[in-house]
Amino acid sequence: IEEFDALAAALSAAGVAVHTCADRAEPACPDAVFPNNWLSLHADGTVVLYPMLAPNRRLERRLEFVLELERNGGKLERLVDLTHHELEGRFLEGTGSVVFDHPSRTAYACLSPRTDAAVLDDLCGEIGYEPVTFEACDQLGVSIYHTNVMLSIGSGFALVCAEAVAEAQRPALLERLAARGRRVLEIDRGAMAAFSGNVLELRGTAGTRVLAASRCALQ
């Protein structure tokens, strides 16, 4: 809770608008501080609900949070509910599984037990984005569980752990990330393990660009 409050305060101090919602005491949802896995909000007012692998994390989904955002000036036009995929054992865990390149309307996803290509296709069909999937693994050969651990796309850069990407898929992915004049920054698996890939560019209320990163990632 202290880390969460410190993060909210730091973002606010940097000029980023922050909305916080209180969780319930029961049922216990220790991962509720990561709502980006069950929810994404889009500039055109689209709200997307995602299917999640862990049954206890599904308890985090609460539409009253979304309605509270609307009451505070959020733009909500339509709901895309992908949670029915859970019945078939298919998952896509929000912006953990999907890294959006909004200017090119592209959705990048590293395939894993938490990130299913069929659900990504469903999402992209609903919001008009092009899906781009690839395979990537850690030093032990285990699939990287979430795409945002190893890929971040900002307005002027793309940061990626290229050495983790399957060798046959790597050149095409790097070429695509470099489109629109972006600078591609490559990190190694060691930096990825320190969450250097898990950074996020945000926009401040005055139009400033703000990069959110943990102290460990920054170092």
Side-chain angles (χ1 to χ4, degrees):
I1 293 173
E2 290 177 357
E3 290 179 344
F4 178 92
D5 290 342
L7 171 62
L11 291 173
S12 295
V16 177
V18 177
H19 300 275
T20 59
C21 301
D23 195 20
R24 301 165 292 188
E26 295 292 338
C29 295
D31 294 315
V33 291
F34 305 113
N36 67 300
N37 294 143
W38 66 264
L39 172 73
S40 66
L41 304 169
H42 299 257
D44 65 355
T46 298
V47 177
V48 184
L49 300 180
Y50 294 88
M52 295 195 291
L53 184 149
N56 71 309
R57 294 216 59 194
R58 300 168 194 172
L59 301 173
E60 299 170 23
R61 293 191 294 251
R62 296 174 63 189
L63 283 176
E64 58 262 41
F65 288 165
V66 180
L67 296 176
E68 185 175 328
L69 287 173
E70 185 176 38
R71 288 192 291 270
N72 284 282
K75 179 183 177 182
L76 307 179
E77 300 290 343
R78 70 171 184 138
L79 176 68
V80 175
D81 189 349
L82 303 174
T83 60
H84 61 90
H85 286 282
E86 289 171 352
L87 300 174
E88 304 295 333
R90 296 189 296 264
F91 311 105
L92 192 73
E93 298 190 331
T95 56
S97 290
V98 185
V99 173
F100 291 107
D101 179 356
H102 295 297
S104 70
R105 302 187 71 82
T106 304
Y108 292 90
C110 170
L111 300 179
S112 77
R114 298 174 183 266
T115 304
D116 187 278
V119 189
L120 180 68
D121 288 343
D122 193 357
L123 169 66
C124 289
E126 289 283 354
I127 65 175
Y129 276 49
E130 179 185 357
V132 174
T133 60
F134 56 93
E135 297 176 354
C137 62
D138 61 19
Q139 292 172 318
L140 300 177
V142 177
S143 295
I144 294 172
Y145 67 100
H146 274 165
T147 311
N148 72 343
V149 170
M150 50 85 63
L151 175 64
S152 177
I153 296 177
S155 55
F157 73 91
L159 189 152
V160 61
C161 182
E163 72 175 23
V165 178
E167 191 171 351
Q169 300 172 328
R170 196 178 305 158
L173 178 63
L174 291 174
E175 181 179 357
R176 185 150 193 156
L177 291 173
R180 296 177 174 266
R182 280 197 182 95
R183 181 185 178 192
V184 177
L185 306 172
E186 295 188 34
I187 60 173
D188 60 22
R189 286 188 174 102
M192 179 182 68
F195 295 102
S196 292
N198 201 338
V199 300
L200 183 66
E201 182 181 313
L202 303 168
R203 182 179 297 167
T205 52
T208 56
R209 290 185 294 164
V210 177
L211 187 68
S214 68
R215 183 179 294 108
C216 183
L218 186 61
Q219 290 173 346

